[in-house]
Amino acid sequence: MTGLAELEQEPSPMTVITREEILARLQEPAFVLVNVMPKETFQDGHIPRSINLPLSDIETKARQVFPDLGRELVVYCGGPT
């Protein structure tokens, strides 16, 4: 199992992306939109085609959900976490 510490060893540049950019890129195969809200909140409403990976599950499930490290991940939530 991969821990959060291993993922932190290979930092990637982080940038801010606008809502319009997200919507324009949703069909791109290498683009993955990740919703980090709790499952219940995700079920109540989310951006179509987004994948739910709650913050509480990132450390234990991120490698399983995203085995291809070459894909671009865009992470969003409903507010400050």
Side-chain angles (χ1 to χ4, degrees):
M1 183 178 339
T2 301
L4 189 57
E6 181 184 355
L7 295 175
E8 290 173 350
Q9 291 175 3
E10 300 177 23
S12 299
M14 292 176 48
T15 60
V16 175
I17 185 170
T18 66
R19 181 178 189 267
E20 291 75 21
E21 289 173 294
I22 290 171
L23 295 174
R25 297 191 58 207
L26 278 175
Q27 302 302 319
E28 294 178 18
F31 183 83
V32 181
L33 186 58
V34 183
N35 177 307
V36 294
M37 295 183 278
K39 290 179 185 179
E40 299 78 23
T41 306
F42 180 80
Q43 292 171 349
D44 289 343
H46 58 275
I47 298 172
R49 297 183 48 97
S50 62
I51 296 170
N52 183 229
L53 182 62
L55 281 175
S56 60
D57 295 341
I58 287 176
E59 187 169 353
T60 58
K61 296 183 180 178
R63 283 280 189 189
Q64 297 166 6
V65 177
F66 309 112
D68 180 0
L69 298 179
R71 295 180 80 183
E72 179 180 7
L73 300 179
V74 174
V75 178
Y76 80 97
C77 65
T81 55

